[in-house]
Amino acid sequence: MMTNSNVVIPTEITNYNRTDYELEVFWLFCILVAGKNSDTTSRVLARFLSRLPQGQTPFEGIRELGEDRLHNLLVSHRVGQYNRITKAIWQSLDLDLRNCTRDDLMNIYGVSHKTSRFFLLHSREFCDEIVLDTHILRWMREKCGVEDAPDNTPQNTEKYIALAGLCKYLMKIHYPGMSLATVDLLIWTQMSGRLD
């Protein structure tokens, strides 16, 4: 049985009032979506969550399954990157998602600058982070003339921070008065072809 709180709608990703249950669903989405199509990931995640024991939070249900059964369930749902995702989810079960820091998130196996910042930006109202995904980087190149913006998210911390600072400056110039989360979603919808 699939509930609405199991469904993440990629075009409505920003929500500062999630329940604990919804926050766990969103974090699982963040782990799963890295490098994948967001609509497909949303559907896969909803099906995956419907297979967990009912009447519990996702983290409680996953803990009850155990790590081996979690891995098998991820394989049966064809989420890809099974070892990384299994380990990341299993390590996440003790996170305090309301109060964890970016560093807490990045201490989870396989969680990157992009994934940690994406979670924080779209779940905490006053977050001041930049998510350097392929769409934002393309926007920087094509709309802002930043010719040396890379095609993919920089993994080097210093390069990420420097580029994020420039991106934040450009966002504030191009979209004055808008929150970074709103701008992030707007650029994503435009650059992904969802919005003309």
Side-chain angles (χ1 to χ4, degrees), residues 2-164:
M2 204 179 307
T3 66
N4 284 343
S5 55
N6 283 348
V7 178
V8 174
I9 302 169
T11 56
E12 300 173 15
I13 205 77
T14 306
N15 181 347
Y16 306 129
N17 299 304
R18 287 181 172 95
T19 64
D20 290 343
Y21 186 101
E22 293 167 334
L23 207 54
E24 290 180 12
V25 170
F26 181 52
W27 175 241
L28 294 172
F29 175 80
C30 292
I31 290 172
L32 292 174
V33 79
K36 299 182 185 92
N37 177 279
S38 58
D39 294 315
T40 302
T41 299
S42 178
R43 288 190 298 274
V44 168
L45 176 60
R47 285 193 305 270
F48 166 80
L49 292 169
S50 73
R51 300 284 306 278
L52 294 178
Q54 299 302 301
Q56 301 175 333
T57 69
F59 283 11
E60 291 168 343
I62 290 167
R63 192 174 281 113
E64 186 176 306
L65 279 178
E67 193 170 0
D68 290 339
R69 286 179 56 208
L70 166 63
H71 184 271
N72 293 339
L73 191 56
L74 292 169
V75 170
S76 72
H77 283 81
R78 298 185 172 140
V79 300
Q81 302 176 4
Y82 305 110
N83 292 331
R84 178 190 70 80
I85 290 174
T86 300
K87 195 169 183 178
I89 290 173
W90 196 253
Q91 288 180 0
S92 295
L93 299 181
D94 293 321
L95 280 174
D96 173 358
L97 293 175
R98 294 216 179 273
N99 299 300
C100 60
T101 65
R102 183 184 66 228
D103 289 340
D104 293 334
L105 296 173
M106 289 186 63
N107 282 331
I108 300 297
Y109 180 79
V111 172
S112 65
H113 293 287
K114 181 173 70 173
T115 300
S116 60
R117 286 163 169 83
F118 178 72
F119 174 79
L120 295 173
L121 181 65
H122 293 287
S123 65
R124 297 196 185 161
E125 188 169 7
F126 300 106
C127 180
D128 195 34
E129 299 283 0
I130 296 293
V131 181
L132 293 178
D133 66 7
T134 56
H135 300 97
I136 295 293
L137 293 167
R138 192 170 125 224
W139 172 79
M140 290 178 73
R141 285 190 309 275
E142 294 179 10
K143 305 295 183 185
C144 302
V146 181
E147 295 174 6
D148 61 343
D151 292 334
N152 298 305
T153 304
Q155 299 306 306
N156 176 285
T157 300
E158 289 176 15
K159 184 167 182 154
Y160 191 103
I161 290 170
L163 203 53

